[in-house]
Amino acid sequence: MSAASTAESADFRGPLDVTRAATVVLDADSTVIGWSPAAAELLGYDPSDALGRPLTAFLSVRPAGGVLPAEAAGTPGPGPGPPSLFGNEIHVARTRDGRELLVATATCPLPGGAGVRGPGAPDRILVAAEVEALLHWESRLALLQGLATQSPVGLAIYDTDLRLSWSNTAYEREMGQPLAAFRGKRAEELYGAGSFVTPGYPHTLAGVMRQVLDTGEPVLDLHFRGQPPSDPGRDHLWSCAYYRLEDSHGHALGVCEDAFDITDRYRVQERLALLVEAGRRIGTVLDVATTAEEIAAVAVPDFAVTVRVDVTRAAVTGETAAVGSPADMSLLRVAERSARGSATPDPGVAEAGQPEAGRSPGEPPQPSPPPQPSPSLPAPPSPSPYPYPPVAYPPGSPQHRSLSSGGLVLDEGTLVVPLRAGGGILGLVTFDRGAGLGASGRPLGPDRATTFDNGEVALADELAARAAVCIDNARRYTRERTASLALQRQLLPHRLPPRSAVETAYRYLPADDVTGVGGDWFDVIPLSGTRVGLVVGDVVGHGLRAAATMGRLRTSVRAFAQLDMAPDELLTRLDDLVGQPAEERPDPYGGPVETYDVTTGATCLYVVYDPVSRRCVMARAGHLPPAIVGPGGQVSFPDLPAGPPLGLGGLPFESMEIDLPVDSLLALFTDGLVEARDHDIGRGLDTLGRVLGDRTASLEELCDRTVSELVPGGTSTDDTALLLVRTRELDAERVADWELTAEPLSVGRARELTTGQLEAWGLEELVFATQLVVSELVTNAVRYAGGPLGLRLIRDRTLVCEVADTGHTSPHLRHSEADDEGGRGLFIVAQLVQRWGTRYTPTGKTIWTEQTLPPAGTG
């Protein structure tokens, strides 16, 4: 039978009720003189069989060989009589069919007693019922008693007018007074302006109870928020159920309410949910300002009305915190959020918690004008070089006390928690309750007073601890990224200065977006004779280690290029350098020091372009060949000998020389540009050729289009470098060259030719110095080398003077003694020119000098 049917069929009369129990009327001698139908049903004896017989014929004085139920064990009756259960005697009854039945009995004397009536007159009535039925009845009574006096669930009955008619003890405790003091009141008079927060139901108690009365459908598990009279000013949350009470004919008698106060449980769940939300939302990016905004967004409005996050300057810049008194730390306000309205974002802090425009996460903020003092902030003591307003707290303030002690400070609705990490303090988080109301005007929660309890203080400390770890990670990231970017800026060209030989544009995309550095590199190297060296290379790997190796290679290439080596010779020297094993030095304990040279697998492409002859000489070491786009837009990839990657050693490198028409486009790139997981290198080269074939676009536009099509989103699994070069030509009006014989008369001839050409160019100011330079260089060539001799003047951004001969011995400076008759010529030349040097050719060598041109209009 179901619980519902059991409740509907329940008889609230006890088993020993005279209307239900087996009733026996006895005289003074305990002779049966009355026998009820219930007694006949219980024992099986008809009245004719029982009347006139002694009671002992049916009931024993004590249990005969039976065992009392556990509930009655150890409960002997008063004196020597039979045992008792719930105040009733227990006997063993013998039924007509011979069974023994354990029964409980109660005796009620009749008025007058035996002394008044004669023999055979009624003296007392005995009622009997099975012990099992009595136990069941008493348990039901105990249940009702427990619900009324001991249950933690508040029970109340409202009549059809929705006035309170009965309540249990738990309900009285919520009211803080006995039932008589509030019986007859309506629900809204007891709980004030409380409301249900469960959607889909009326918001008021009266509305829900009226719905139950009208429909007869029970309502379960509703959450009601209100303030009980026993705890005014403090919200509680109850889980409630309502069902209609009916009489035996189905007429409504009222509504029963059972409510359980789940405020404490709700608070625990709320705090757990807040911690889960904090773990999900705090620290999504490695940026101090964003992390500060995230903790403020998590805490407002469910935990505090206003949250302010102030951090030290070291946290913003990524520096190590300065050693000193914590109370003297200068703080910057990086986040502030209030539930009373959208706070005005601080300069440099976007409304959604993103860093200021133009700044990547983790990048140190750029200086900006100092912000104006806010009414909620003290006036800044001095202009700040950061885009966050400085904050100064006066001595005695909760924030100053928190900094001084390094601990939490609770002060009348304000909780200040330090951001601690690595034994130091990175800043403060201030949680302010204010009036305890959120933006909607409702209380901040079911138990959200203006003060913080111990659990909330622990929760705030946990929130601040999580934020501190994330802020410290952001600080470390900022420091590492700043160092990496500084390294990258030193390893790669800051900018490519304009050259007469070429027009350039480039893009560099490291695969390691955390450090911002990679192993690819490019360079544009000015060479003698207005030539230019173009280089692009790739080191296996990513990050700082590959970048360090790349820096070594780039420096070596520049050094070899300044020696005017041919491309194949330069790669040979670079291969020898890379292939040298690193020296193993013992550590202080005698063991070898591990080296981290990343060499094998590095590739390089080196190109030299001469704008005078329009000749391009190139060689590669395992690298992809360049793309060449002619003036008409035709794209080709020259069949350049591959050469082995750097570091293998023992294999030759070969150069290729080609003539480039004026306005040709030369593209040098690494494999990260044209090779990807979703397509092979051939498809990438085809796309590159198609993009570069647009001759109407500028180099910058071509760079952007190439990256957008080949590296979608700007991210790649490999470092990417792209260098675009548009070639130019120095016309005959800017170049003059002559061939001279190797005889002393050529010295004077060289001076004459030089003077005439400089006067034609309007460079009379340089005639005297250039004559001395040409005289010395030609004289040395006649004296120490053989003919024929070559003299060339180039007017570019500097005045270039070159003297070529067939010798292979390079002149060098030396200090002459006071009595020496010679040896000072080259020293004088070095003082007259900006720089000078020697380059070797297949037929000999060329000595070159460069002189600064006079300012325009002074010639």
Side-chain angles (χ1 to χ4, degrees):
M1 182 179 295
S2 66
S5 59
T6 301
E8 292 175 355
S9 62
D11 188 349
F12 290 93
R13 297 171 297 170
L16 294 178
D17 185 90
V18 70
T19 62
R20 298 181 58 194
T23 305
V24 180
V25 181
L26 303 174
D27 63 6
D29 296 328
S30 298
T31 301
V32 177
I33 59 175
W35 192 262
S36 70
E41 181 181 358
L42 177 66
L43 299 179
Y45 293 97
D46 294 332
S48 59
D49 298 329
L51 294 178
R53 298 179 67 180
L55 179 63
T56 56
F58 308 101
L59 297 178
S60 65
V61 177
R62 290 186 179 274
V67 180
L68 290 176
E71 293 84 349
T75 56
S84 65
L85 179 64
F86 307 122
N88 303 294
E89 294 181 351
I90 300 177
H91 297 270
V92 177
R94 291 183 293 273
T95 65
R96 186 182 182 89
D97 57 5
R99 292 183 297 109
E100 290 186 348
L101 189 66
L102 198 63
V103 297
T105 64
T107 304
C108 178
L110 295 175
V116 178
R117 290 182 289 272
D123 179 69
R124 62 189 184 277
I125 296 177
L126 181 144
V127 291
E130 287 189 70
V131 168
E132 187 71 23
L134 181 61
L135 289 174
H136 182 64
W137 164 251
E138 291 292 345
S139 65
R140 296 166 73 182
L141 286 181
L143 172 63
L144 295 176
Q145 181 68 17
L147 289 175
T149 60
Q150 301 179 24
S151 172
V153 178
L155 297 175
I157 297 177
Y158 292 85
D159 59 21
T160 54
D161 291 332
L162 304 184
R163 295 183 181 276
L164 184 69
S165 60
W166 178 86
S167 69
N168 66 350
T169 304
Y171 196 91
E172 290 180 349
R173 285 196 298 267
E174 290 182 1
M175 296 298 105
Q177 49 191 332
L179 174 62
F182 54 87
R183 180 187 287 119
K185 291 187 176 182
R186 297 183 182 274
E188 58 268 19
E189 297 177 295
L190 299 175
Y191 291 95
S195 63
F196 285 98
V197 296
T198 304
Y201 293 93
H203 291 292
T204 63
L205 281 169
V208 171
M209 287 191 287
R210 180 58 60 188
Q211 175 180 319
V212 172
L213 276 177
D214 294 342
T215 64
E217 294 294 330
V219 175
L220 307 176
D221 197 24
L222 292 184
H223 286 180
F224 177 79
R225 177 181 285 122
Q227 297 181 1
S230 61
D231 193 7
R234 181 171 177 263
D235 268 9
H236 284 240
L237 190 70
W238 291 271
S239 177
C240 305
Y242 298 88
Y243 43 90
R244 188 168 68 182
L245 300 178
E246 301 175 349
D247 60 14
S248 58
H249 301 288
H251 297 148
L253 299 176
V255 177
C256 182
E257 172 193 72
D258 64 64
F260 183 70
D261 193 331
I262 60 172
T263 303
D264 292 338
R265 185 178 70 186
Y266 182 84
R267 289 171 56 195
V268 172
Q269 292 176 346
E270 186 183 40
R271 293 170 185 173
L272 179 61
L274 192 63
L275 284 178
V276 172
E277 184 72 3
R280 185 180 67 87
R281 295 178 58 183
I282 297 178
T284 57
V285 296
L286 291 172
D287 182 71
V288 173
T290 303
T291 302
E293 279 291 335
E294 288 168 346
I295 185 177
V298 167
V300 175
D302 293 330
F303 186 74
V305 176
T306 303
V307 173
R308 303 179 184 89
V309 183
D310 307 320
V311 300
T312 62
R313 296 176 186 266
V316 174
T317 61
E319 301 172 359
T320 304
V323 179
S325 173
D328 297 333
M329 291 181 180
S330 57
L331 300 177
L332 303 174
R333 174 69 48 80
V334 294
E336 180 175 4
R337 184 178 289 260
S338 176
R340 296 190 177 93
S342 58
T344 302
D346 292 328
V349 182
E351 184 175 352
Q354 298 300 323
E356 67 270 18
R359 182 172 69 88
S360 301
E363 183 177 348
Q366 300 301 318
S368 64
Q372 297 297 323
S374 170
S376 62
L377 297 175
S382 60
S384 171
Y386 305 101
Y388 310 118
V391 184
Y393 291 105
S397 63
Q399 291 82 0
H400 191 275
R401 283 185 281 138
S402 178
L403 282 177
S404 301
S405 62
L408 299 96
V409 173
L410 183 61
D411 186 80
E412 297 182 359
T414 298
L415 177 61
V416 182
V417 186
L419 296 169
R420 298 181 291 260
I425 296 179
L426 297 176
L428 299 174
V429 181
T430 302
F431 301 94
D432 192 355
R433 282 281 171 83
L437 298 178
S440 61
R442 69 171 179 85
L444 289 172
D447 186 24
R448 194 67 79 237
T450 57
T451 58
F452 296 86
D453 60 24
N454 292 336
E456 290 170 331
V457 170
L459 175 61
D461 192 25
E462 177 66 21
L463 289 176
R466 296 190 180 197
V469 172
C470 296
I471 289 177
D472 189 51
N473 290 339
R475 178 189 66 83
R476 295 173 182 270
Y477 167 75
T478 300
R479 181 181 62 187
E480 297 298 330
R481 190 170 188 273
T482 300
S484 300
L485 291 177
L487 173 63
Q488 189 73 76
R489 292 189 183 103
Q490 294 299 320
L491 296 179
L492 292 177
H494 296 197
R495 62 183 181 86
L496 297 180
R499 300 288 175 191
S500 300
V502 292
E503 176 189 358
T504 58
Y506 65 91
R507 294 293 183 269
Y508 183 79
L509 301 175
D512 189 350
D513 56 356
V514 176
T515 61
V517 297
D520 291 8
W521 89 93
F522 65 93
D523 207 350
V524 178
I525 307 170
L527 303 177
S528 62
T530 69
R531 297 171 307 136
V532 62
L534 309 173
V535 61
V536 64
D538 185 0
V539 174
V540 173
H542 311 294
L544 291 176
R545 187 179 301 178
T549 302
M550 175 267 286
R552 292 174 49 205
L553 296 181
R554 176 175 178 266
T555 302
S556 300
V557 169
R558 290 189 69 92
F560 292 150
Q562 295 299 328
L563 298 177
D564 279 307
M565 293 183 179
D568 55 346
E569 182 182 359
L570 183 144
L571 293 181
T572 301
R573 296 288 185 89
L574 191 63
D575 181 64
D576 293 340
L577 179 66
V578 170
Q580 292 178 1
E583 180 183 0
E584 294 187 358
R585 300 179 302 275
D587 62 16
Y589 303 98
V593 174
E594 184 178 3
T595 59
Y596 297 95
D597 292 343
V598 182
T599 53
T600 303
T603 64
C604 182
L605 169 65
Y606 183 59
V607 178
V608 176
Y609 174 69
D610 188 347
V612 177
S613 63
R614 293 184 289 102
R615 290 184 177 179
C616 182
V617 184
M618 60 186 73
R620 61 179 177 140
H623 203 85
L624 293 173
I628 300 177
V629 184
Q634 64 277 14
V635 181
S636 63
F637 296 90
D639 188 14
L640 180 63
L646 297 174
L648 297 183
L651 298 176
F653 298 95
E654 298 181 37
S655 295
M656 172 184 285
E657 181 175 332
I658 59 176
D659 291 335
L660 292 180
V662 179
D663 204 27
S664 295
L665 180 62
L666 196 64
L668 288 75
F669 51 90
T670 58
D671 56 1
L673 180 68
V674 295
E675 190 174 19
R677 294 177 179 175
D678 58 345
H679 63 264
D680 58 17
I681 193 170
R683 177 182 170 186
L685 292 175
D686 292 340
T687 303
L688 176 63
R690 175 176 52 82
V691 174
L692 297 180
D694 184 2
R695 299 295 297 169
T696 62
S698 66
L699 292 185
E700 293 293 335
E701 292 173 343
L702 291 177
C703 282
D704 292 337
R705 292 180 190 175
T706 301
V707 171
S708 63
E709 291 207 24
L710 291 173
V711 190
T715 58
S716 174
T717 58
D718 194 7
D719 301 329
T720 300
L722 171 65
L723 176 62
L724 297 184
V725 178
R726 182 162 286 157
T727 63
R728 295 171 179 167
E729 180 185 21
L730 293 182
D731 53 33
E733 295 182 357
R734 302 173 63 182
V735 181
D737 57 352
W738 304 274
E739 185 174 338
L740 304 174
T741 58
E743 57 183 355
L745 292 177
S746 296
V747 177
R749 175 62 177 165
R751 285 198 298 266
E752 293 176 4
L753 295 172
T754 299
T755 301
Q757 187 62 55
L758 292 181
E759 291 176 349
W761 284 341
L763 299 179
E764 291 84 356
E765 185 177 337
L766 298 180
V767 169
F768 177 73
T770 309
Q771 283 183 345
L772 291 179
V773 170
V774 170
S775 297
E776 179 60 29
L777 296 182
V778 174
T779 299
N780 286 340
V782 171
R783 181 177 300 177
Y784 302 109
L789 308 180
L791 172 63
R792 184 167 71 167
L793 299 179
I794 302 174
R795 181 183 180 182
D796 188 33
R797 299 179 184 275
T798 61
L799 176 63
V800 180
C801 178
E802 296 180 343
V803 175
D805 58 47
T806 58
H808 292 84
T809 302
S810 175
H812 60 277
L813 291 175
R814 65 186 182 89
H815 294 281
S816 300
E817 299 296 336
D819 55 352
D820 288 345
E821 296 182 358
R824 300 180 179 84
L826 197 55
F827 180 80
I828 295 174
V829 169
Q831 305 305 310
L832 294 175
V833 300
Q834 182 179 358
R835 64 191 189 111
W836 70 280
T838 304
R839 70 171 180 267
Y840 292 92
T841 65
T843 59
K845 68 176 183 300
T846 298
I847 310 297
W848 57 267
T849 65
E850 290 186 7
Q851 296 170 257
T852 303
L853 296 179
T858 62

